[in-house]
Amino acid sequence: MRCAYHAAGVCRSCTHLGEPYLDQLAAKDAHARTLLSKVPSAADAVWHEPVASPDEGFRNKAKMVVGGTVEAPTLGILDELGRGVDLQGCGLHEAPLRAALPAVADAISAARLTPYDVPSRRGELKHVLLTLSPDGEIMARFVLRSTEAVPRLRKHLPTLLAAIPGLRVVSANIQPEHKAVLEGPEEIVLTPDDSLRMRVNHLDLHLLPQSFFQTNTAIAQALYAQGAAWVDAAAPRSVWDLYCGVGGFALHVAAPGRDVLGIELSAEAIGSARRTAAEAGLAVRFEAGDATAFALSADAAPDLVIVNPPRRGIGADVASWLERSGVRDVVYSSCNAVSLARDLAAMPNLRVTEARVLDMFPQTAHYEVITRLTRA
């Protein structure tokens, strides 16, 4: 991938840009294998070939910091002095996102949405967050410091919708605090549609504005398919999907006679998951709550547990619970192999039988690794 921003030194987010992509993929695979080889319960794991991604145009999300002025807003990042750096042409984003950004910039100017200035702590618009579905539909979220500008945004919404044919969901997120927080708790949906359909394998996942979904749709599809294959091979009668998000794993492993329960802290993500399950006619239950507290307070354990935690991993409490719970099988999907190795070391009776790296984040050192564990 060639990048004029990187060549000019204005953006260095892609820390491995310039390295041949297959070398990047091999290095990630080697890194994961080396880390897990030091864990006795994972030393004999069968490693499958890593799953490659396109090395550009793979991001289904554009998380753009807004800078500059009302007349000339920048969409991208901030430099070391807090000034806006425009990255509308970033090659990581899928093409429809790049095509949509100029119209978003025009809407900012038309609606007089003053970009937030970090050094002076003044301004209204902090971020623009775009998400693209596999069918070319887009969700756009404007992160504002208050509701003051919402009427102006609403007034110019018809022009924005006309300028971006695939735009389906538009919302204003309210984040009033003067700190580096991407979004706030309040969401004001401005369009009739309030969710984006994310077609993933055989499912249409519903994505509400504050619901999390993986950055790379193609790799997310491969991740869910691999997890579902391992669950089907284990043939459990009961499954818990902890940290289930919008229900990707739970919905993929639904099967007749199988009791599947998803647990997620985000109520909005649970709402998304329930909507998908109802529409697809799948008998999967979803509950909003803390996954750790749920597991530790459970009277009995299921046959199989899926965990897909944040970068910090499942932590000592859940690892200890899994170790002593009697759970027969675990599928652990991780975006941080370091915390994964630590968690695996705390579960010596759950042996890693299979593992696979999936490259969710080309041009960086980050990747996803999924493992299958079976009780020894």
Side-chain angles (χ1 to χ4, degrees), residues 242-296:
L242 304 182
Y243 320 95
C244 71
V246 296
F249 279 113
L251 293 161
H252 274 80
V253 305
R258 182 179 294 166
D259 180 59
V260 181
L261 172 64
I263 303 294
E264 165 63 42
L265 188 61
S266 167
E268 181 142 310
I270 289 298
S272 298
R274 287 173 174 167
R275 188 179 298 192
T276 302
E279 187 176 273
L282 297 174
V284 181
R285 296 177 293 128
F286 292 99
E287 299 294 338
D290 180 81
T292 300
F294 174 83
L296 296 181

Side-chain angles (χ1 to χ4, degrees), residues 40 47 53 59 61 81 96 203 228 290 333:
W47 284 87
S53 165
R59 282 189 64 98
K61 298 178 185 177
L81 298 178
L203 291 168
D290 180 81
S333 178

